[in-house]
PDB file of all heavy atoms in Angstrom:
ATOM      1  N   GLY A 905      -6.447 -24.178 -63.278  1.00  0.00           N
ATOM      2  CA  GLY A 905      -6.039 -25.512 -63.748  1.00  0.00           C
ATOM      3  C   GLY A 905      -5.265 -26.310 -62.734  1.00  0.00           C
ATOM      4  O   GLY A 905      -5.675 -26.467 -61.579  1.00  0.00           O
ATOM      5  N   ARG A 906      -4.090 -26.731 -63.159  1.00  0.00           N
ATOM      6  CA  ARG A 906      -3.250 -27.675 -62.398  1.00  0.00           C
ATOM      7  C   ARG A 906      -2.950 -27.217 -60.974  1.00  0.00           C
ATOM      8  O   ARG A 906      -2.986 -27.997 -60.029  1.00  0.00           O
ATOM      9  CB  ARG A 906      -1.952 -27.820 -63.208  1.00  0.00           C
ATOM     10  CG  ARG A 906      -0.884 -28.688 -62.642  1.00  0.00           C
ATOM     11  CD  ARG A 906       0.290 -28.699 -63.627  1.00  0.00           C
ATOM     12  NE  ARG A 906       0.689 -27.339 -64.006  1.00  0.00           N
ATOM     13  CZ  ARG A 906       1.410 -27.021 -65.069  1.00  0.00           C
ATOM     14  NH1 ARG A 906       1.852 -27.968 -65.874  1.00  0.00           N
ATOM     15  NH2 ARG A 906       1.710 -25.758 -65.329  1.00  0.00           N
ATOM     16  N   GLY A 907      -2.539 -25.965 -60.825  1.00  0.00           N
ATOM     17  CA  GLY A 907      -2.346 -25.425 -59.482  1.00  0.00           C
ATOM     18  C   GLY A 907      -1.017 -25.737 -58.825  1.00  0.00           C
ATOM     19  O   GLY A 907      -0.922 -25.733 -57.592  1.00  0.00           O
ATOM     20  N   SER A 908       0.034 -25.939 -59.620  1.00  0.00           N
ATOM     21  CA  SER A 908       1.330 -26.236 -58.976  1.00  0.00           C
ATOM     22  C   SER A 908       1.896 -25.005 -58.256  1.00  0.00           C
ATOM     23  O   SER A 908       2.525 -25.136 -57.200  1.00  0.00           O
ATOM     24  CB  SER A 908       2.351 -26.787 -59.981  1.00  0.00           C
ATOM     25  OG  SER A 908       2.824 -25.777 -60.828  1.00  0.00           O
ATOM     26  N   ASN A 909       1.663 -23.829 -58.808  1.00  0.00           N
ATOM     27  CA  ASN A 909       2.141 -22.622 -58.104  1.00  0.00           C
ATOM     28  C   ASN A 909       1.348 -22.396 -56.822  1.00  0.00           C
ATOM     29  O   ASN A 909       1.915 -22.018 -55.798  1.00  0.00           O
ATOM     30  CB  ASN A 909       2.078 -21.404 -59.032  1.00  0.00           C
ATOM     31  CG  ASN A 909       3.235 -21.392 -60.009  1.00  0.00           C
ATOM     32  OD1 ASN A 909       4.393 -21.280 -59.605  1.00  0.00           O
ATOM     33  ND2 ASN A 909       2.948 -21.558 -61.288  1.00  0.00           N
ATOM     34  N   MET A 910       0.035 -22.647 -56.880  1.00  0.00           N
ATOM     35  CA  MET A 910      -0.767 -22.572 -55.661  1.00  0.00           C
ATOM     36  C   MET A 910      -0.235 -23.572 -54.630  1.00  0.00           C
ATOM     37  O   MET A 910      -0.079 -23.239 -53.438  1.00  0.00           O
ATOM     38  CB  MET A 910      -2.230 -22.894 -55.977  1.00  0.00           C
ATOM     39  CG  MET A 910      -3.107 -22.976 -54.755  1.00  0.00           C
ATOM     40  SD  MET A 910      -4.558 -24.010 -55.050  1.00  0.00           S
ATOM     41  CE  MET A 910      -3.781 -25.612 -55.219  1.00  0.00           C
ATOM     42  N   ALA A 987      -2.410 -17.536 -59.948  1.00  0.00           N
ATOM     43  CA  ALA A 987      -1.511 -18.687 -60.089  1.00  0.00           C
ATOM     44  C   ALA A 987      -2.081 -19.618 -61.156  1.00  0.00           C
ATOM     45  O   ALA A 987      -2.786 -20.579 -60.864  1.00  0.00           O
ATOM     46  CB  ALA A 987      -1.362 -19.409 -58.749  1.00  0.00           C
ATOM     47  N   GLY A 988      -1.798 -19.260 -62.417  1.00  0.00           N
ATOM     48  CA  GLY A 988      -2.365 -20.034 -63.519  1.00  0.00           C
ATOM     49  C   GLY A 988      -3.823 -19.704 -63.735  1.00  0.00           C
ATOM     50  O   GLY A 988      -4.595 -20.533 -64.207  1.00  0.00           O
ATOM     51  N   ASN A1007       0.925 -11.705 -60.425  1.00  0.00           N
ATOM     52  CA  ASN A1007       0.779 -12.796 -61.396  1.00  0.00           C
ATOM     53  C   ASN A1007       2.150 -13.387 -61.662  1.00  0.00           C
ATOM     54  O   ASN A1007       3.168 -12.710 -61.499  1.00  0.00           O
ATOM     55  CB  ASN A1007       0.180 -12.266 -62.705  1.00  0.00           C
ATOM     56  CG  ASN A1007      -0.038 -13.377 -63.721  1.00  0.00           C
ATOM     57  OD1 ASN A1007      -0.522 -14.456 -63.373  1.00  0.00           O
ATOM     58  ND2 ASN A1007       0.327 -13.135 -64.965  1.00  0.00           N
ATOM     59  N   ILE A1008       2.142 -14.659 -62.075  1.00  0.00           N
ATOM     60  CA  ILE A1008       3.405 -15.273 -62.524  1.00  0.00           C
ATOM     61  C   ILE A1008       3.240 -15.661 -63.981  1.00  0.00           C
ATOM     62  O   ILE A1008       2.188 -16.163 -64.395  1.00  0.00           O
ATOM     63  CB  ILE A1008       3.813 -16.465 -61.630  1.00  0.00           C
ATOM     64  CG1 ILE A1008       5.229 -16.934 -61.991  1.00  0.00           C
ATOM     65  CG2 ILE A1008       2.804 -17.620 -61.677  1.00  0.00           C
ATOM     66  CD1 ILE A1008       5.945 -17.678 -60.883  1.00  0.00           C
ATOM     67  N   HIS A1009       4.299 -15.405 -64.744  1.00  0.00           N
ATOM     68  CA  HIS A1009       4.273 -15.658 -66.193  1.00  0.00           C
ATOM     69  C   HIS A1009       5.524 -16.465 -66.564  1.00  0.00           C
ATOM     70  O   HIS A1009       6.615 -16.170 -66.064  1.00  0.00           O
ATOM     71  CB  HIS A1009       4.260 -14.312 -66.943  1.00  0.00           C
ATOM     72  CG  HIS A1009       4.207 -14.473 -68.420  1.00  0.00           C
ATOM     73  ND1 HIS A1009       3.027 -14.731 -69.096  1.00  0.00           N
ATOM     74  CD2 HIS A1009       5.186 -14.452 -69.361  1.00  0.00           C
ATOM     75  CE1 HIS A1009       3.289 -14.852 -70.390  1.00  0.00           C
ATOM     76  NE2 HIS A1009       4.591 -14.679 -70.579  1.00  0.00           N
ATOM     77  N   PRO A1010       5.369 -17.456 -67.458  1.00  0.00           N
ATOM     78  CA  PRO A1010       6.501 -18.350 -67.732  1.00  0.00           C
ATOM     79  C   PRO A1010       7.486 -17.858 -68.786  1.00  0.00           C
ATOM     80  O   PRO A1010       7.875 -18.615 -69.676  1.00  0.00           O
ATOM     81  CB  PRO A1010       5.806 -19.644 -68.169  1.00  0.00           C
ATOM     82  CG  PRO A1010       4.583 -19.165 -68.866  1.00  0.00           C
ATOM     83  CD  PRO A1010       4.142 -17.922 -68.131  1.00  0.00           C
ATOM     84  N   LEU A1076       8.689 -24.301 -65.064  1.00  0.00           N
ATOM     85  CA  LEU A1076       7.679 -24.452 -64.003  1.00  0.00           C
ATOM     86  C   LEU A1076       8.338 -24.705 -62.651  1.00  0.00           C
ATOM     87  O   LEU A1076       7.900 -24.161 -61.630  1.00  0.00           O
ATOM     88  CB  LEU A1076       6.706 -25.586 -64.340  1.00  0.00           C
ATOM     89  CG  LEU A1076       5.512 -25.698 -63.394  1.00  0.00           C
ATOM     90  CD1 LEU A1076       4.605 -24.464 -63.469  1.00  0.00           C
ATOM     91  CD2 LEU A1076       4.694 -26.961 -63.690  1.00  0.00           C
ATOM     92  N   GLU A1079       9.395 -21.493 -61.441  1.00  0.00           N
ATOM     93  CA  GLU A1079       8.229 -20.716 -60.980  1.00  0.00           C
ATOM     94  C   GLU A1079       7.854 -21.099 -59.555  1.00  0.00           C
ATOM     95  O   GLU A1079       7.602 -20.243 -58.700  1.00  0.00           O
ATOM     96  CB  GLU A1079       7.010 -21.001 -61.875  1.00  0.00           C
ATOM     97  CG  GLU A1079       7.107 -20.482 -63.278  1.00  0.00           C
ATOM     98  CD  GLU A1079       5.812 -20.736 -64.047  1.00  0.00           C
ATOM     99  OE1 GLU A1079       4.729 -20.585 -63.479  1.00  0.00           O
ATOM    100  OE2 GLU A1079       5.892 -21.102 -65.227  1.00  0.00           O
TER     101      GLU A1079
HETATM  102  C1  GRF B2264       2.308 -21.337 -65.104  1.00  0.00           C
HETATM  103  O1  GRF B2264       3.225 -21.631 -66.111  1.00  0.00           O
HETATM  104  C2  GRF B2264       2.161 -19.836 -64.939  1.00  0.00           C
HETATM  105  O2  GRF B2264       3.326 -19.123 -65.225  1.00  0.00           O
HETATM  106  C3  GRF B2264       1.105 -19.497 -65.952  1.00  0.00           C
HETATM  107  O3  GRF B2264       0.212 -20.588 -65.932  1.00  0.00           O
HETATM  108  C4  GRF B2264       0.898 -21.760 -65.486  1.00  0.00           C
HETATM  109  C5  GRF B2264       0.137 -22.277 -64.309  1.00  0.00           C
HETATM  110  O4  GRF B2264       0.658 -23.479 -63.792  1.00  0.00           O
HETATM  111  N1  GRF B2264       0.488 -18.230 -65.653  1.00  0.00           N
HETATM  112  P1  GRF B2264       0.091 -24.057 -62.439  1.00  0.00           P
HETATM  113  O5  GRF B2264      -1.422 -24.163 -62.596  1.00  0.00           O
HETATM  114  O6  GRF B2264       0.461 -23.114 -61.328  1.00  0.00           O
HETATM  115  O7  GRF B2264       0.713 -25.400 -62.292  1.00  0.00           O
END
Side-chain angles (χ1 to χ4, degrees):
R906 178 179 51 199
S908 73
N909 282 296
M910 174 205 68
N1007 182 44
I1008 189 157
H1009 181 81
L1076 188 64
E1079 291 184 40

